[in-house]
């Protein structure tokens, strides 16, 4: 519990935003998987700040140092520990917040829960923690690739601007062609302009990351308390600023009746498939071989440069302006984390499924 | 994993829809809690079918037999096992589905995953499993009551009909006054009429259950992978037919900017509180003392009497009409399950929080 | 934790000695395993009291009622719940102990830990709980049998009487031919005579159960904190009255130097094997294909009819004579529990090992 | 599972003998505990090689670098990650063993289980892994100290030489006065002489580490599958080279009858205590406030410089002489690991016990 995720595959992350390092231990990873360090670096880049004008300008180091579990280029089945060293942090940016609680951050709840908190940059509650998830996610993607599972996340909503198309109406590869990671070029431009405007106001904005998993074999997921979609929901809701999760047609098409919503089976040239996929590739908590797709809502980042009302440790009312180089919109970087958490979950359930028959 | 839920409190459920019994074992429950059997019976009644014309007319037995863990009216700290015997089931209703997969049910995925399935009434995948969760939920509510935590779920949307009011604009007790459990009498009537119409068509409809938790102490929830809202999301998504979860303002108000969304702190007569509660009572995964509120989307039940296309075990295309007495809308009964899963989660995190300081 | 055991396979037991029933839920059991009810009954008989003059004369009902997870004679992959109803208990035998703590029983520690206890027959702490382990063990043995794993436990010491031979010098099947389950007929007679004498004195005696696992494939067990022998040790030490565990040559041959102790490899007709097996079939926590063997020490049962000194709830000194029909020696019945816990552990690790490579 | 230990407190270790580092993450540690770095260094020294002529002459670096979870000298409740960098390793010492399996090491089982192994110095199976346990143990000891729990391990047997006294007949502090950590000066000398002789022969020897825990509060441990002694047994058997565990009078006094073995209660000036302590401070799996004591058997280290028979990867028979600077006897260093695993277990159960009542 606490800082670990997964059943067979188990990722434990550690580290604070302005401590020595962020890192993780990925235990239970299968042996014999070849690790491509260039691939990992390319995955890290997707999450890295400082890449465009719509994300934080911080130039965070995201180089990964592996400490164990890989030998002569392959995984050994032993825990894979890794560290991303914190460099160029500016703790002095956070002196103001030593005593004052930033609204809608975790400052207040950490202080009251633990009686102590590392206030520098949000400490453990900082989204920098997700760097460890992307390392683990990249490792899992390498394993999943070998069995044909492909995961792709993209931005489908920024504030009031919605993409307005379903995933199968889009060429998801297009998401790589713009900084907001939206596979519709026109909507992408609107979103980017909107974020720039919000940023200029010293404000922030949220939205939706959508994710599609193709090639998932039938049978992943366990009934009742280990349903695949519940695990995915848990994984996504563990990402900083996540406020909601839905899969298949989720909240969106609740006006559909059973007869409109049910995915009828048919025989497509010898193999059983469904005419529609409102189920989002999961029935009874178990993958059915169709595409898995889901949405994750992310709120506007709590760090804004506008003046806000707050209180300090003693309960005294204060105003606060948050300095530093913050993300006006977390979505383009969150997409990488969504993919990573999906990859860890899928590999975990793939391995778990191996145990269900002798 | 699999059929267990929780960390300290651990509910394991068992049983199939048309097997001997549905039951559960609730381990880790604290000792010394007085158990009021009348209260448990009243909680069970909330979930029971056959209570109105908008739910299934089945007259399921929901009497609970406790087998262990309670001595002289109090819990002993030992596992509490309980059984609800299956009586008056009509397995012959399900002969048709022995070989044909019901669309959007778990028949197909179970068959392919396990190579075998108890096809009678959906077997383990039946929503009858949730009867065990309501027993456990009732026990947990009794423990939570003593520390002032109160949980209330209600129907806020049926198909296209939305309640259109926030929880604090409603008198939630009103939900007990109608069979759809909607605290707005006018909307309740609309919803009920709509469900009757859907039922007459041999069809089904989904919607949203909303839930509010009052009196939650500050500090429940653990950072990173054990966030309170992620645990609640996992719990809710484990309920049959759940398609989405959102807390605070979730997917609904993503157009709000950070400055509009952040919950500013102020000092209310000596105690720190927030001016708004967009966070839904949880910041950084930890409860902040404000009301916790969330929504759960439930799809239209997959069992409809309309004719549907499908295939059988051999891949042969077939049409299927599902007989039996099914729920045209699961919402009024699902509310009881939502409350129960929330109660188990809250008690679990309450106990877990005790370990965070010496 | 608490009342559950296992990783993939997870047995949760419940019930008190004089409550309604003892039972369990075995979750994670693979699907498609054919269940032979006669075999299960025969396994239960091994543990049952009332079978000879050296065990308790209680005529406990040990009939198992399965509630779920088995369909048309095969496991479904869903949780297997089962119950053994308590019948013919005589709670009035235990009125004396309502207020007085029996020496070396769990009465005192339960009372102080939980503030409440079911004092009838030891409640949850009674060795009757192990009936649930034997049910689960029998199911696991059926699965293990199919992959050629065979487990055999026997009595190797009673009080001062030791068998004096290693397992490979014995015909272990001989253990079935006497009531103490010792495969050396002569020693068996000595042991039985000794127990009769102890029983006549109103006293009790302990000893050692040895266990041998043949046919275990190479590779079961996980390094560091999930070593096969540590899991076996944990399992055995969870049995009532267990005081010690050793595997391979354990405590016995610590005078052996490395050169005498190491198991040298050689090539036996094309397959790698070892010249000796001091390791007990486990190296680095992982099975190496040789026989696994271990010993479990059981103390003399705490329930004796001799008068003993004690105190009551208020701290008042009292004398106590424990009535009822107790086992003067637990070993013959403990052997069945040792085999069961070994079987659960082996199947768990067999399934776990499937996840270590893609 | 795999590389993690504990329930609330959860230690995950990582690293290979000749990789970059050995380290760990200690999650679930309570917040607000002051960390004394000098104390940790002094604990590390107990386990460090190169300190005497009877242990390995390797000069391993054992300096700990903490990466997270400690802020301004106190724990924050967030995961405590730490690393001990591997320096001055001589991987070339291990070129011989790339293809040849060292007898009674984990080379063969790792190779067959994972299909790959880091052969340098035993890789993950090396006892160097225990350095991470001593770091975690030292942290836990600091927390336990504050609640008055004291843990002390010592060498009580080396090969055929036994201490011959019970722990309460000894001044355990004396163990610090000699390199074998035996609190009986005379026996210590015999043991040391014996080890020197074994070392000169190029051989190795095992023995027993005894451990005593004083000041343990009543009520730690959970019934059935989470018994305190079973958890201690599991912890001890997870230490490299451990072959057996016994607590209380264990295997040693099985000739005692119930009437001789039972610990009678009496009222000692108002508080309930026992006249004897054969139970070893644990009854029914729960601590009873008396001293907890147990023994751990360690085999002779498998690394010896004498020539041994073996086979290589292809099954070809080979002889092997293991070079490097190995421990002729692991006991003095193992004592530190025994204390550490006991400390982690005790703190874990202390925290767990907090959840058993509301």
């Amino acid at each position: 519990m606490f800082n670990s995720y997964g059943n067979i595959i188990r990722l434990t992350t550690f580290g604070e935003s302005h401590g020595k390092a962020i890192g993780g231990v990925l235990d239970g990873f299968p042996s014999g998987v070849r690790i491509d360090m260039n691939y990992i670096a390319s995955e890290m880049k997707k999450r890295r700040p400082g890449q465009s004008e719509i994300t934080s300008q911080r130039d965070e180091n995201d180089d990964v140092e592996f400490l164990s579990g890989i030998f002569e280029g392959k995984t050994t089945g032993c825990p894979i520990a890794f560290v991303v060293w914190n460099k160029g942090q500016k703790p002095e940016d956070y002196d103001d917040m030593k005593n004052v609680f930033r609204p809608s951050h975790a400052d207040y709840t950490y202080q009251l829960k633990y009686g102590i908190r590392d206030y520098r940059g949000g400490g453990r509650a900082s989204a920098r923690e997700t760097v460890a998830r992307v390392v683990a996610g990249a490792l899992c993607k390498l394993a999943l690739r070998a069995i044909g599972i492909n995961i792709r996340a993209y931005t489908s909503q920024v504030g009031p601007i919605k993409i307005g198309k379903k995933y199968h109406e889009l060429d998801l590869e297009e998401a790589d062609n713009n900084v907001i990671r939206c596979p519709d070029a026109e909507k992408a431009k609107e979103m980017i302009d909107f974020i720039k405007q919000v940023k200029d106001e010293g404000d922030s904005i949220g939205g939706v990351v959508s994710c599609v998993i193709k090639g998932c074999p039938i049978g992943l997921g366990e009934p009742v308390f280990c349903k695949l979609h519940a695990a995915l929901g848990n994984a996504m809701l563990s990402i900083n600023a996540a406020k909601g999760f839905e899969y298949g047609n989720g909240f969106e098409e609740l006006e559909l009746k059973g007869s409109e919503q049910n995915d009828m089976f048919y025989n497509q040239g010898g193999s059983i498939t469904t005419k529609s996929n409102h189920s989002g590739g999961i029935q009874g908590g178990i993958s059915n071989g169709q595409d898995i797709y889901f949405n994750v809502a992310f709120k506007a980042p709590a760090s804004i440069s506008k003046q806000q009302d707050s209180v300090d440790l003693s309960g005294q009312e204060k105003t606060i302006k948050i300095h530093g180089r913050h993300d006006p919109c977390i979505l383009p970087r969150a997409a990488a984390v969504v993919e990573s958490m999906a990859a860890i979950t899928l590999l975990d359930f793939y391995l778990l499924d191996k145990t269900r028959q002798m």
Side-chain angles (χ1 to χ4, degrees), chain A:
Chain A
M1 32 193 164
F2 304 136
N3 295 276
S4 294
Y5 176 77
N7 296 285
I8 297 296
I9 292 280
R10 198 152 179 89
L11 171 66
T12 301
T13 72
F14 60 82
E16 288 86 30
S17 171
H18 288 65
K20 280 199 181 173
I22 296 285
V25 183
L26 188 63
D27 198 12
F29 197 86
S31 66
V33 176
R34 184 161 292 285
I35 300 307
D36 175 347
M37 291 296 172
N38 290 329
Y39 177 75
I40 291 171
S42 72
E43 286 291 298
M44 297 301 286
K45 216 182 146 189
K46 289 191 197 172
R47 187 209 153 274
R48 203 179 166 188
Q51 297 184 98
S52 81
E53 55 190 327
I54 63 163
T55 56
S56 165
Q57 297 303 303
R58 289 191 308 277
D59 185 24
E60 282 183 8
N61 167 52
D62 279 2
D63 293 343
V64 191
E65 180 174 2
F66 286 95
L67 302 183
S68 66
I70 301 172
F71 185 62
E72 297 179 346
K74 283 186 180 174
T75 58
T76 61
C78 295
I80 303 170
F82 53 86
V83 166
V84 178
W85 298 100
N86 289 333
K87 290 176 190 164
Q89 312 288 7
K90 301 186 180 174
E92 63 275 13
D93 278 357
Y94 299 95
D95 275 353
D96 294 357
M97 61 180 73
K98 182 170 180 175
N99 296 317
V100 184
F101 302 122
R102 292 168 302 163
S104 287
H105 268 285
D107 300 347
Y108 175 72
T109 50
Y110 268 60
Q111 183 69 43
L112 267 79
K113 182 179 184 72
Y114 297 112
I116 183 176
R117 77 193 154 98
D118 179 348
Y119 55 81
R120 300 166 305 165
R124 181 70 183 144
S126 163
R128 182 154 166 78
E129 180 271 341
T130 60
V131 80
R133 309 192 192 194
V134 176
V135 178
L139 292 166
C140 292
K141 279 181 173 182
L142 285 169
L144 291 174
R145 211 192 240 180
I147 53 168
I149 297 180
N150 186 277
I151 300 167
R152 172 57 91 149
Y154 60 94
T155 299
S156 59
Q157 181 180 344
V158 169
I161 305 161
K162 299 185 182 186
I163 195 164
K165 284 179 188 152
K166 306 217 173 215
Y167 79 89
H168 47 75
E169 301 168 312
L170 295 160
D171 175 3
L172 301 186
E173 302 301 312
E174 287 294 317
D176 291 341
N177 295 334
N178 57 67
V179 294
I180 187 64
R181 294 196 175 275
C182 173
D184 181 306
E186 210 169 311
K187 289 288 180 181
K189 201 184 163 308
E190 277 184 60
M191 290 171 176
I192 293 166
D193 289 346
F194 186 79
I195 295 170
K196 284 183 191 166
Q197 179 195 320
V198 165
K199 184 186 173 193
D200 289 345
E201 295 167 2
D203 218 325
S204 66
I205 193 69
V208 174
V209 170
S210 297
C211 185
V212 183
I213 302 168
K214 287 173 178 288
C216 180
I218 302 172
L220 306 200
E222 306 296 330
V224 183
F225 292 117
C226 219
K227 293 189 167 98
L228 182 53
H229 59 263
L232 286 168
N234 183 30
M236 298 308 145
L237 290 161
S238 78
I239 303 173
N240 305 51
K243 294 296 292 272
F245 170 87
E246 58 182 1
Y247 79 105
N249 50 7
F251 283 96
E252 283 178 17
E253 297 180 334
L254 291 174
E255 71 284 0
L256 290 188
K257 295 175 187 167
S259 60
E260 299 161 321
Q261 154 95 22
N262 284 354
D263 298 319
M264 315 272 169
F265 291 103
Y266 74 107
N267 187 319
Q268 188 186 42
S271 80
I272 296 174
T273 184
T274 56
K275 295 180 185 175
S276 56
N277 184 17
H278 296 110
S279 298
I282 302 172
Q283 282 165 335
I286 300 171
S287 62
N288 69 352
Q290 305 301 314
D291 293 344
I292 295 169
Y293 61 97
F294 58 84
N295 293 323
V296 190
F298 290 96
K299 69 170 184 176
S303 289
I304 54 174
S305 53
K306 280 190 169 174
Q307 178 170 302
Q308 299 180 83
D309 296 335
S310 189
V311 296
D312 67 12
L313 277 170
S314 69
Q316 185 83 26
E317 297 191 347
K318 300 264 174 172
T319 58
I320 185 170
K321 283 180 99 165
I322 302 175
H323 304 296
R325 295 152 299 170
H326 302 291
D327 287 279
C329 179
I330 204 69
L331 297 176
R333 298 175 56 206
V337 185
V338 165
E339 287 186 4
S340 295
M341 292 307 297
I344 299 168
T345 305
L346 266 280
L347 183 57
D348 190 33
F349 276 77
Y350 170 78
L351 294 170
L352 207 49
D353 185 52
K354 290 185 162 213
T355 68
R356 307 324 306 122
Q357 296 193 33
M358 290 292 293

